[in-house]
Structures are given as structure tokens and as C-alpha cells.
Amino acid sequence: MQPASQRFAPHILDAVRRQLVELVATNTQITLAVVTSADGFEVAAHPDLPMAQRIAAMSSSLQALSEAMAREASLSRSRNLIIEADSGTIVVLGIPDISPRLSLAVVASGSEILGRLLWVTRSCSAALARSLRA
Amino acid sequence: MIVTSDQELKIVFAGPMGAGKTTAIRAISDTPPISTEVDNIDRALCDKESTTVALDYGQLLLQDGTAVRLYGTPGQERFSFMWEILCGGAMGVILLIDGSSSAALSDLRTYAETFHRLNPNQPLVIGVGRATCTDGRQLDEYADAVASRGIVAPVFDVDVRQREDVLLLIETLLCILEAQAPEADHAAG
């Protein structure tokens, strides 16, 4: 099985990893950031935690489910997936205008403010799109 | 539990990527199925354009009024968390295998063991697609392969694009459920 990370040039993956490192470093409540292919492969993650691969697969499943649910409810395109748990928040966003489709999943601890988390995740997603298109 | 009319049953379609789970549910669902297919980038594993990453969902109303909810699983092991979720409350599992794959028998053993472990008391029915069975010998090999793991399950040669073939799998599963039902259930039914 060819990992999704092998489908991108090394310099692009380096740029993606740098952005994930920066996202986590500048937002101390973020405990994990994972870029995932639509079919559930981890492309890059920071930090390099064992759970990153499973979070990648789960985020693609949940994103596909949320899109199916939005379609079923005639709500057009699903944009964000937000999971608010007792001790933290997970945000999954599609990275815009990339083929094959990729998404960014971010796990944050409970003290992070949702609006701020969405803003930094969206900013990172846009920066990732620029890197991946380069 | 006996299968009577006006009840709801949940059946799970399992099996490796490319075995035909999405196609089977499309073939029999009374309503347009809910699909979570995305572009498949893992062409080395299976050369198909799209793959299911969460579930397929369809509904089927049988002649006796039984409503069957049909759930299709993603085939790849990385989505095994969905297998556990989808098997919760299921009455049985239909395991589909691609008979043209060189890994068909090992896939059968792996998936039969996994889903039998998830649903030890629930019946398993096996459908082998794209098989080249001329004298039934190959189907015996499939039956022997699961029997060697201590699992008893009927094996059928099916074309999952054909509604009748998929219905045969479901009807077989329902017959096993009836046969497993306690005497009291039979009397009540």
C-alpha cells in the first residue's frame, strides 16, 4: 500500500509539516494537527502521535458522513465538522481547491475558544492550500 | 428472535474493498441509498475510482412487511472502527468476497473471523462475486476455508448487480435467524 504522503513531492510535504508545526507551536491548546486524504490516509501530522493515523481515517469518515447528511437535508455543501467534547474540541476542514481532496483535522484541549480555533484552523487550511498548489 | 412481519431488522454488508458492498445495497434498496464514496487514491490495493469511507445505507421492505435496514461497511482495515459501530445491533452479516482476487480465500478467512468475533451469535452468509465456478468445487473451497476457522456459513456464487442474487443472501440470513429462534418464538409466530 502506497501511503498518501508518497503522492506528494518531498518539498511540498516539508512545507505542509512546517505549517503544522507552526500551527501547534503558536496555539498551545492544539494537541494534534493532521492532514488527511479524502479516503482516510494520513498525509502529514504534528506531533507524530500513534493516534494520528486513526484520527486521519476517522476524520475522513466523519467528513463524508457530514457531507451525506448535509446533502440529505438539502443544505448544499458541508464546510466544517466540529466535535465539542467534555475536555476538548476537534475541528475538521476541507483544504480548498486541492486535488486529490485533502482535509485538516485539529484537536484542541478544552480551554481553547471555539471561534479562535476555527479562525486559526481556517488560516492554516488556506496556507496549506497555497503550499500544496505550489 | 423470530422474524415476523412489521418488524425492523438491521443487516450489515461487509468485505474487502471492491467486493461489491455498495453495488449490492444499490441493487436492492427501495430508496436511493446514502453513500459516502470519495475518490480512491490507493489504486495499488484496488483499481477503482471511488471507495466508501463511512457507510452505505439503504432500506428494503420485504413482502411480509419486515423492514430491513441495510448498512455497508468500508472495506479497508483502517476503517475498522466503523465495522464495530455498524455491527452494533445487527441481526447478521453478509460477507461479500471478490472471487477474481488472488487474495479471495485469505480475505474470506480474515473478514469472516473479524466479523464473527464482532457478532459471535449472529449468522454470517457469504456471497462470492466474479467467481469462475464451473463445478461448485471453488465454492467448497470457500466453505472449507471458513469451516477451518470454526465458522459455519453458507456460501453462494452471486452477481451483486442482480437484485435476485442479493435478495437470496438476505433471505438465507433470515432463514438462519428463524431456525435459531427458540421454540416459543416459533409458536408465537
Side-chain angles (χ1 to χ4, degrees):
Chain A
M1 184 174 70
Q2 186 185 24
S5 58
Q6 290 179 15
R7 293 165 198 278
F8 297 93
H11 72 279
I12 291 178
L13 284 173
D14 286 344
V16 169
R17 288 196 188 99
R18 274 199 303 275
Q19 275 158 358
L20 297 184
V21 169
E22 186 183 338
L23 175 69
V24 174
T26 53
N27 298 277
T28 54
Q29 308 302 323
I30 293 179
T31 55
L32 177 65
V34 188
V35 172
T36 307
S37 68
D39 60 347
F41 286 107
E42 173 195 328
V43 176
H46 183 78
D48 190 15
L49 299 176
M51 71 170 167
Q53 283 191 355
R54 281 177 61 83
I55 292 288
M58 289 177 174
S59 70
S60 77
S61 294
L62 286 169
Q63 200 169 24
L65 265 180
S66 69
E67 286 170 3
M69 199 167 177
R71 273 198 307 272
E72 198 68 17
S74 304
L75 295 179
S76 188
R77 196 168 58 92
S78 166
R79 290 201 305 244
N80 314 325
L81 174 65
I82 299 167
I83 300 170
E84 292 186 86
D86 283 349
S87 57
T89 305
I90 299 172
V91 172
V92 182
L93 298 181
I95 298 175
D97 306 322
I98 293 295
S99 181
R101 288 176 60 194
L102 299 174
S103 61
L104 170 64
V106 167
V107 181
S109 66
S111 53
E112 182 60 284
I113 298 166
L114 178 58
R116 185 178 178 283
L117 181 63
L118 266 175
W119 185 78
V120 297
T121 306
R122 244 182 227 136
S123 300
C124 183
S125 174
L128 285 165
R130 288 193 292 276
S131 295
L132 289 161
R133 283 196 294 263
Chain B
M1 194 195 92
I2 194 164
V3 178
T4 58
S5 59
D6 300 323
Q7 67 174 340
E8 268 203 348
L9 298 177
K10 174 182 180 181
I11 292 177
V12 170
F13 285 74
M17 182 182 180
K21 302 176 291 294
T22 301
T23 304
I25 290 176
R26 277 189 191 143
I28 57 169
S29 179
D30 293 331
T31 56
I34 292 170
S35 167
T36 58
E37 283 192 298
V38 301
D39 290 344
N40 168 40
I41 65 170
D42 190 16
R43 292 297 183 95
L45 177 66
C46 186
D47 190 18
K48 54 185 287 204
E49 285 190 3
S50 61
T51 185
T52 297
V53 294
L55 56 79
D56 297 302
Y57 175 75
Q59 293 173 322
L60 173 68
L61 188 65
L62 301 179
Q63 284 183 339
D64 67 357
T66 302
V68 184
R69 291 185 283 132
L70 313 159
Y71 288 82
T73 61
Q76 302 92 324
E77 204 278 335
R78 65 181 178 278
F79 296 115
S80 58
F81 61 92
M82 287 301 304
W83 303 349
E84 294 177 32
I85 293 169
L86 294 175
C87 281
M91 300 301 296
V93 174
I94 291 173
L95 175 56
L96 297 178
I97 295 292
D98 177 1
S100 68
S101 165
S102 59
L105 282 173
S106 63
D107 281 345
L108 174 61
R109 290 187 200 99
T110 303
Y111 284 81
E113 276 188 327
T114 300
F115 281 89
H116 182 67
R117 194 168 54 243
L118 289 172
N119 305 271
N121 300 315
Q122 293 163 358
L124 183 71
V125 174
I126 296 163
V128 181
R130 306 184 193 101
T132 51
C133 305
T134 54
D135 57 4
R137 189 177 56 199
Q138 193 179 355
L139 287 186
D140 289 343
E141 287 179 27
Y142 289 103
D144 291 345
V146 286
S148 71
R149 298 296 196 270
I151 301 166
V152 178
V155 182
F156 294 92
D157 176 12
V158 292
D159 179 345
V160 292
R161 296 167 299 181
Q162 302 301 320
R163 178 179 170 88
E164 293 75 20
D165 283 17
V166 184
L167 286 176
L168 171 67
L169 298 173
I170 289 178
E171 284 161 5
T172 303
L173 194 64
L174 298 182
C175 286
I176 297 172
L177 284 169
E178 284 227 3
Q180 287 178 345
E183 283 298 315
D185 281 357
H186 280 292

